Amino acid sequence: MNDRVALVTGGSRGIGRAVATRLASDGFSVVVGYAGNADKAASVVAEISSAGRNAIAARADVADETAVTAMFDLAEQTYGGLDVVVHAAGIVGLAPLADMDLAVLDRVVRTNLRGTFVVDQQAVRRVRRGGAIINLSSSIVGLAFPAYGAYAATKGGVEALTLILARELRGRDVTVNAVAPGPTATDLFLKGKDEEAVARLAAQPPLERLGTPHDVAEVVAFLAGPAGRWVNGQVLRVNGGIV
C-alpha cells in the first residue's frame, strides 16, 4: 500500500491522530486535516515523517465547503490522488435537552452533521476505485446517555448518511462504513469527568476498561486495507461489548 493516500480529518489529536499514524505505518501517505491547532498537526506530521513515511498537514473547517475543497485539492496536488478518507473531526456539546443552548446545538450540528456531508461529498468525487470512506460515529447513538442529545442526534445522522452513501456508490468499488467508538480515553472524552465518573464508564464493558484511540485506529485500518474490502454499508460498534 506504499502508493496509497489517506486523508484524515481531526487528525491532530485523539482518535484522528491514532488513525493517521496507524495508516502511515501501513504505508499510506497521509494528509493530516486539522481545524485550529497547527502545532499539534505539525507534531503528527513530524512523528510520521520520522518513521520514514510521507505526511502533510492541511487546515480546514470541515463544514466550510471552500476550505474542504482546498484540502482535497492539496492532497491530490501533493500525492496524485486519494484512496481513503477518514472523517474523524467532531465536537461535543453536553446538556439536557431542556437546558441546551441552541447556539451550541447549531455548532454541534454544523460541525458533526454538515461537516460529514461536506467531507463525504468531496470524498465521493475524489476517492479512486478500490478506496474507502470511513466516518466516525459514536456508540452513544445506542447507549442514549442523558445530556448527549445533541451529539447523539448528529451521530445518528452520520450513520444514516453512511448507509445511504454506500448504496449510492454502487459500481464504484468504493466502500463506505462508519466506526462507532464507545467511551474512549481521549482528552475530549475525559474533560470535565471526575475519577468516579471515569471508573463507572470503564466498568460498563465486559472487558472492564475504557477504549483507547489505538483500539479504534486498528478497526479503521482494517476497513481501509485489503482485508476489509467485503465490509460495506456497515456501522461497527467499537466499544468492548457495551449493550
Side-chain angles (χ1 to χ4, degrees), residues 127-148:
V127 169
R128 297 182 284 209
R129 293 186 66 85
I133 300 169
I134 304 163
N135 293 320
L136 267 289
S137 179
S138 171
S139 288
I140 201 68
V141 173
L143 296 174
F145 291 160
Y148 279 83

Side-chain angles (χ1 to χ4, degrees), residues 16-190:
R17 179 177 186 132
V19 168
T21 57
R22 178 65 176 80
L23 293 181
S25 74
D26 279 347
F28 282 86
S29 297
V30 180
V31 179
V32 179
Y34 71 99
N37 196 318
D39 290 342
K40 286 187 176 181
S43 74
V44 181
V45 170
E47 180 180 347
I48 293 172
S49 299
S50 68
R53 302 298 183 183
N54 298 318
I56 58 171
R59 183 172 184 170
D61 170 358
V62 293
D64 180 337
E65 62 271 30
T66 301
V68 170
T69 297
M71 177 172 62
F72 275 77
D73 286 345
L74 178 63
E76 291 184 331
Q77 292 163 6
T78 304
Y79 297 121
L82 266 173
D83 300 286
V84 172
V85 173
V86 182
H87 181 45
I91 62 173
V92 179
L94 300 182
L97 188 147
D99 302 325
M100 172 61 73
D101 183 332
L102 294 182
V104 175
L105 171 65
D106 289 344
R107 288 197 295 272
V108 173
V109 170
R110 182 180 184 278
T111 298
N112 294 359
L113 188 54
R114 177 185 167 88
T116 299
F117 199 101
V118 170
V119 170
D120 282 6
Q121 189 175 65
Q122 287 299 316
V124 167
R125 297 170 179 173
R126 314 277 192 134
V127 169
R128 297 182 284 209
R129 293 186 66 85
I133 300 169
I134 304 163
N135 293 320
L136 267 289
S137 179
S138 171
S139 288
I140 201 68
V141 173
L143 296 174
F145 291 160
Y148 279 83
Y151 181 72
T154 62
K155 291 302 186 178
V158 169
E159 294 186 5
L161 180 61
T162 299
L163 303 186
I164 290 168
L165 187 55
R167 287 150 180 80
E168 289 182 349
L169 291 186
R170 174 181 291 273
R172 284 277 304 278
D173 191 26
V174 173
T175 63
V176 187
N177 294 287
V179 174
T184 304
T186 64
D187 291 341
L188 184 64
F189 172 78
L190 295 173

